[in-house]
Amino acid sequence: MPTNLTPALAWQRLREGNERFVSGESQHPNQDASRRSSLLEGQNPFAVIFGCADSRLAAEIIFDLGLGDAFVVRTAGQVIDDAVLGSLEYSISELKVPLIAILGHDSCGAVTATKGAVETGEMPPGFIRDLVERITPSVLTAKRNGQEDVNDMVVEHVKQTADRLADSSRVISDAIEDGRVAMIGLSYKLGEGQAALVSAIGQV
């Protein structure tokens, strides 16, 4: 049975969980044995969170969630690839999740590395180069807009990530157009623990 939450109510639930986390009043819901047992037959998450793989950005903790609440996809710098697109499309088409949240954060190492590569012309080795190449358009856009601070670049990258998902995936764009799904961009502050809304596509 898919969640009956609208995109707006799903965002409200995420926001309320984050507020509890920020204030030190986390309830740690849905983390007991009975919840575990209740999920044996299937899952009905109310949001999909596509975030950076940074260890300080554990989605279920910062939004005070438990088992079965969120479908979580993470890569360094929340970089999109085919596996990410497939995972997100699965959450929309099969699990009927009403909300996609893109989660970036200040002092992001992947964005910082990209900023350095753009400014020095020196690319990092191995597959880190692939991450940098995918984040470069966001860094260049931020620079064109006069934004030289890495945290401003993070926000720009969150916005561009959302735009790219809507452009790349017919499943996602159709769901947004139909009003079944909304996509929000969030920027997380490591010090405060707060996830602030920086963009929205669809009705939230």
Side-chain angles (χ1 to χ4, degrees):
M1 182 68 191
T3 179
N4 57 4
L5 293 182
T6 63
L9 286 172
W11 165 224
Q12 181 182 336
R13 188 167 164 191
L14 274 189
R15 198 165 61 240
E16 288 171 351
N18 183 235
E19 287 168 0
R20 291 194 301 272
F21 172 69
V22 169
S23 64
E25 297 174 356
S26 294
Q27 297 171 356
H28 309 289
N30 298 329
Q31 296 181 17
D32 57 9
S34 63
R35 175 66 167 183
R36 193 172 67 228
S37 300
S38 74
L39 293 167
L40 282 173
E41 302 304 317
Q43 57 172 321
N44 301 296
F46 72 88
V48 54
I49 301 169
F50 174 38
C52 181
D54 191 293
S55 63
R56 299 164 291 183
L57 205 66
E60 287 90 347
I61 295 175
I62 68 174
F63 293 110
D64 195 24
L65 303 173
L67 298 172
D69 290 334
F71 191 83
V72 181
V73 181
R74 297 171 70 181
T75 62
Q78 72 272 0
V79 163
I80 301 167
D81 61 16
D82 289 350
V84 167
L85 283 167
S87 299
L88 295 179
E89 289 189 351
Y90 174 80
S91 73
I92 299 302
S93 58
E94 299 297 322
L95 301 178
K96 311 300 183 191
V97 171
L99 183 71
I100 302 170
I102 314 299
L103 184 62
H105 65 96
D106 56 5
S107 306
C108 178
V111 176
T112 301
T114 304
K115 179 178 186 285
V118 166
E119 291 172 352
T120 65
E122 293 180 22
M123 290 295 280
F127 282 96
I128 301 173
R129 176 190 295 255
D130 186 59
L131 295 176
V132 164
E133 287 173 349
R134 291 169 190 257
I135 298 170
T136 293
S138 301
V139 169
L140 291 175
T141 299
K143 281 180 161 293
R144 270 200 307 275
N145 294 336
Q147 297 171 322
E148 296 294 334
D149 184 78
V150 70
N151 295 334
D152 292 330
M153 293 174 178
V154 166
V155 170
E156 181 61 37
H157 183 51
V158 167
K159 293 175 181 177
Q160 289 212 16
T161 301
D163 289 342
R164 277 182 215 137
L165 285 173
D167 289 342
S168 303
S169 169
R170 173 60 66 84
V171 170
I172 293 173
S173 59
D174 284 354
I176 292 172
E177 205 168 293
D178 293 346
R180 290 181 285 119
V181 172
M183 182 157 46
I184 58 174
L186 302 171
S187 181
Y188 178 78
K189 287 187 166 52
L190 294 171
E192 293 86 356
Q194 187 171 34
L197 186 71
V198 295
S199 69
I201 303 173
Q203 293 298 312
V204 288

